[in-house]
Amino acid sequence: PRRLLAEVQTSVHVMDREDLHSVPVAAQPDIFRSIGILPGIVSTSDVSSQFYVRGGAGDQNLILMDGMKIYNPFHAFGIYSIFDPDLMKSTEVYTGALPAGFGGRLSSVVNMTTRDGSTKALSGKANINFLSGKLQVEGPIMPGFTCLANARKSLFSDTFSKFFNSTLPLSFYDAFIKVTGRIAGMVGKL
């Protein structure tokens, strides 16, 4: 019997949460470092999480999070991206044959979808290392509504100042809050 292909997607790589966490890291997980292992993507250096796709420039990549364009997706001169992999449900990376809806870019499109908070129980996660600290809380906040909150702050300026006996202007913080509501068959996001 002959099988028909309903849809063909070329040059698209879909990475789920497990894929984003499977890449070995020195200090903290980073989405762009995980993307760097895909074919056609080259990192600018071992230190930076910035990347080029098939010879294009770094500003020719379109970065989307839940449909919003992100214009400066890096912290601390490109050492880390602003996206925490624990927030992502899936990440689509288009390295060629860009869909018409993502027009205006020459190299790639990174389309990230964040996940909703847990519907089961309130839970939390904390992480600290010599570069950053993170706190994440998720769970139901009322019937039909869930929340996912995440905050990170850099600690490496303090770490470096102890090693070099001088202060370095390399610090960042970011926060993310997503509330999702389900009311009688309708879905809404704030």
Side-chain angles (χ1 to χ4, degrees), residues 36-103:
I37 66 168
L38 296 175
I41 297 179
V42 178
S43 176
T44 59
S45 73
D46 289 338
V47 176
S48 177
S49 66
Q50 295 180 3
F51 61 95
Y52 299 125
V53 177
R54 301 193 195 284
D59 63 349
Q60 294 173 342
N61 301 312
L62 174 61
I63 310 297
L64 298 169
M65 184 176 81
D66 289 336
M68 297 179 291
K69 289 182 182 179
I70 308 297
Y71 290 102
N72 188 8
F74 301 103
H75 283 307
F77 304 113
I79 296 174
Y80 293 106
S81 73
I82 61 173
F83 309 108
D84 187 344
D86 286 337
L87 298 174
M88 298 306 152
K89 178 179 179 180
S90 69
T91 301
E92 299 172 329
V93 182
Y94 295 88
T95 57
L98 304 177
F102 299 138

Side-chain angles (χ1 to χ4, degrees), residues 162-174:
K162 290 181 182 176
F163 284 116
F164 299 119
N165 291 328
S166 67
T167 58
L168 298 172
L170 298 174
S171 63
F172 70 83
Y173 63 90
D174 55 44

Side-chain angles (χ1 to χ4, degrees), residues 66 114-117 119 141-148 177-190:
D66 289 336
T114 57
R115 63 187 184 83
D116 297 335
T119 58
I141 53 175
M142 61 181 12
F145 287 86
T146 64
C147 180
L148 174 61
I177 298 174
K178 180 178 181 180
V179 177
T180 305
R182 299 184 190 286
I183 302 172
M186 296 176 56
V187 176
K189 295 181 182 180
L190 301 175

